[in-house]
Amino acid sequence: MDFSGFLMMPSELGLLAIFVFLLAFDILAAETRAMRWFRPVAIALMTVQMVWGFFPAPEGTAFGEMYVSSPLTSMMKSILNIGTLVVMLQAGEWLRRPENSIREGEFYVITLATLLGMYIMVSAGNFMMLYLGIEIASLPVACLAAYNKYKEHSAEAGAKYILMTALSSGIMMFGLSYLYGAMGTMYFSDMNAAVAAEPMTVLGFVFFFSGLGFKISLVPFHSWAPDVYQGAPTATTAYLSVVSKAAAVFALVLVLHHVFGALAVLWHWMLWGLSVLTIVVGNLFAIRQRDIKRFFAYSSISQAGYILLGVLHGSSAGLTATLYFVFVYLFSNLAAFGVIAAVENQSGRTDIASYKGLYKSNPRLALVMMLAVFSLAGIPPLGGFFSKFFIFAAAAQGGDYLFVLIALINTVVSLYYYLRIIRAMFIDAPGADAVSSFRTDPYNSVSLVLCTTGILVVGVVSWFYNFIAQATF
Amino acid sequence: MEWLRFNDTLHIDLGILLDPLSVMMLTVVGVVALMVVVFSIGYMKGERGFGRYFGLLGLFVFSMLGLVVATNIFQMYIFWELVGASSYLLIGFYYTRPAAVKASQKAFIVTRFADLGFLIGILILSSYTGTFDFAALTADNAAIAVGPQANWAMALIFMGAAGKSAMFPLHIWLPDAMEGPTPVSALIHAATMVVAGVYLIARMFPVFQFAAPDVLVLITYVGAFTALFAAVIAITQTDIKRVLAFSTISQIAYMMVALGVADVAASTFHLFTHAFFKALLFLGAGAVIHAVHSNEMSRMGGLRKFMPITHITFLIACLSISGIPPFSGFFSKDEILVAAFHHNPVVFGVLLLVAGLTAFYMFRLYFRIFWGAHHYDRPPHEAPPIMTIPLIVLAVLTCVTGFVVPVHIDWAIASAGVVAAVIGIVVAWRFYAKPSDAPARLAARWAGFGQAASHRFYIDEAWLWVTRRIIFGGISRPVAWFDRHIVDGAMNAIGSGTVRVSETIEPVQGGKVQSYAILFVLSVLLITLLVFVLC
């Protein structure tokens, strides 16, 4: 057997090594004093993995084109790495609580397992490989969602997630079987040559697409998201709303461009309709939410619509804009979830009303939340403004002024509900049961500093945009 | 350096233009600014906001220098606005005093209003000449067609200049601007910013001459009227800084007349000499105010014994502004009178009258401050050296700047001007140097006119009436109503409609995983169907 293929995948091997090491650590050191070191070690290893990911990886294919590596995939993996690292930093405080401490290691190990699945999603060169990656990335997330298994909400979230995942996987697999039937191959490169607008291919494509749409939480495949986001532990919600979603977006981008380029006319209008629907419905639901995690679920649904807007304009500017949007969205959304996690750990509450007067009690957290929310709403000079700007510019370049108009109107609507949070934090008087002043966990503080820096710097420093543009060309 | 490109021909550059005109202005701005800054160290000592004051002063000087060296009209406009903004900040320096706040707002709004005309003028001009550049606009072969467009453009540009240079009827902000610290008045509202309008017109003079000669006639008459008008008002004012403010308006109007009668050299020469002696007058007034803590003439008198240096330098400035040889004002005023004489005898007559009035009100000021007798609770004392040295330097400059340009003196006209000035001085001496009831008698006989003049001929009230009744009542109120009821109403309807839709669709998200699954499957089928039907 030829093992040289493994040389093509250093980042996967590195991640696998970390995964195995931490699993062994968790098992061998369980219930001993050595567990104190688990969190620093896990975070240090993940940091190494992230930094390593930025070094140029070998390019090419391995295992008979099952696996593909290019600067683009390396950069996507780096974005996922950053997101995962931030989530791991934010999860620490919650995992240290007495009811979780015995299972602390599990969270990191499972998270890394799903990350490995996402790597495979991004690097797949074959639909079976892609499907495998999606499954590896999905099933363990159900465990994460149900992590607080003695809490009803968490268990419910886990159950809903696994049921819906199973359904979407089934539909996706069904679609894949049609594609295979139509073209007789599962390899991206072969299919790219064979794809044509035949009924069977189109059917297969739509089914496959709805499977990925589920992961990205596009309307109308989004219905699981609010319940799961609300019920799952905050760290899991952050992971689902950012890293998991980003991986699915990346896979979608790659598949659309590498395989279904010939069907562009078809999926252009399909995506057009779905992203308008996603933005509008996400916004309409977000307006009336009272729970902040549920609120961010809908906010992230409507953000997914904007991401899709970049995807559907297949130009390289659109592709760059998409990745850039995801990159900024990662920092903005994770900053928000970092604050949510900190407040929840202190008060046990996630309703928006508990944020009243946060600026008085915890000014720094309130400021981070403000930056995050402004960035999501697209206020200059924060990163979110630039990412939205590039998306709109790509769409306008494609001549799609109608969409830009709709998206702009929705941006105004989104500003309304984002400002509700700002109002609660800065203007409303704190209620009797307001969150008291507290110190944020140092690990979480690091993550918040990282995210805030990202929000402030990524938009203004053009290096990031050029870096992404370089990889996408 | 190219800064902003609109199309292949029209672009805005940033650059530095050095020619005799701009170098002359640079000298004026640089010297006066230096003197004012030195003077301010003494004047502002111990004031709150000492650092802020000098920061703003620096901003102003930067903007003014940028305005002077601008290579194109748009760059000049940018610095023009910056000058206006820093002037606004400095007038409102004592922001705890309501009068200062009001005055700064008034100055800003009036000049902004004028600048609106300026901007429209720039846009018209650039749209049909295709350039902003001064060099291209004023070149001999510049193809600027004479016509209504050119007239409108240049008239609107003159409107901007008139706003900044306080020409009638846009002069109303300058007297109130005296609420700022006195050195600021010396720098901005006497020597530099207010002459920016003159500078602008001198800079664009060839355009006026070739493309819009009618506007030059307008400038002449506006200038002549403003000169007389402001001089009459100056006679009746009792606040020494206001007297100086109206004298500034009157002198700038002189420069405008010179431009109108096509003598740019005379105009800029007067600008040059005026900057020094007017700055000297203001700084001298500043020293006096510093000593007696009041702006009112009635609280002063006999100061020549207490403040000898201020007294002598102030006297030199008064002689200069009155046009007595050999001080600088004599030479430059004479140039303007000669130009006016050859152009239009009526205008010449007005200017001669104004020269007499100028001498009268300046010496009225001088005698009432430094002569006569007044009882002080605490005897005033001479200003410290840091304040008197700038006065001395400026006094020396006032004596010598008349000779920097070799001028041909038309003695017939010069002596007419000097005689007018001497008559004015003698009358002032008779009236004010010694206690006399002549002013009171005169005032009684001309009661109505004096009353009107001391109220500045009710121009402020006229503006208020125009803005209140016509703009606020006639235009703003209906617009506001439309905005509140139609525009906001539509917006509110959209907003509440959005919320209502949001309420309506809420039950879809019921929490039942079965219904989610059904929704999922149905959606997939619907999309498939749509894709097949539509594609």
Side-chain angles (χ1 to χ4, degrees), chain B residues 266-279:
Chain B
S267 176
T268 50
F269 186 35
H270 195 56
L271 189 164
F272 183 65
T273 57
H274 170 261
F276 296 117
F277 63 67
K278 187 48 69 64

Side-chain angles (χ1 to χ4, degrees), chain B residues 314-338:
Chain B
F314 201 86
L315 176 61
I316 291 172
C318 284
L319 289 170
S320 183
I321 195 174
S322 305
I324 302 294
F327 300 103
S328 60
F330 164 71
F331 297 95
S332 55
K333 210 173 241 188
D334 176 56
E335 289 274 283
I336 295 178
L337 287 172
V338 171

Side-chain angles (χ1 to χ4, degrees), chain B residues 353-421:
Chain B
L353 177 60
V354 171
L357 289 175
T358 305
F360 174 72
Y361 67 72
M362 285 317 299
F363 277 88
R364 167 176 174 259
L365 187 65
Y366 165 75
F367 288 126
R368 290 197 59 177
I369 296 176
F370 294 102
W371 292 64
H374 189 84
H375 172 72
Y376 293 99
D377 295 337
R378 273 190 322 174
H381 52 86
E382 179 60 286
I386 193 124
M387 287 161 73
T388 52
I389 288 171
L391 293 180
I392 294 166
V393 173
L394 285 171
V396 171
L397 285 170
T398 302
C399 296
V400 300
T401 44
F403 299 99
V404 294
V405 184
V407 286
H408 166 75
I409 294 173
D410 185 329
W411 284 108
I413 291 171
S415 45
V418 174
V419 167

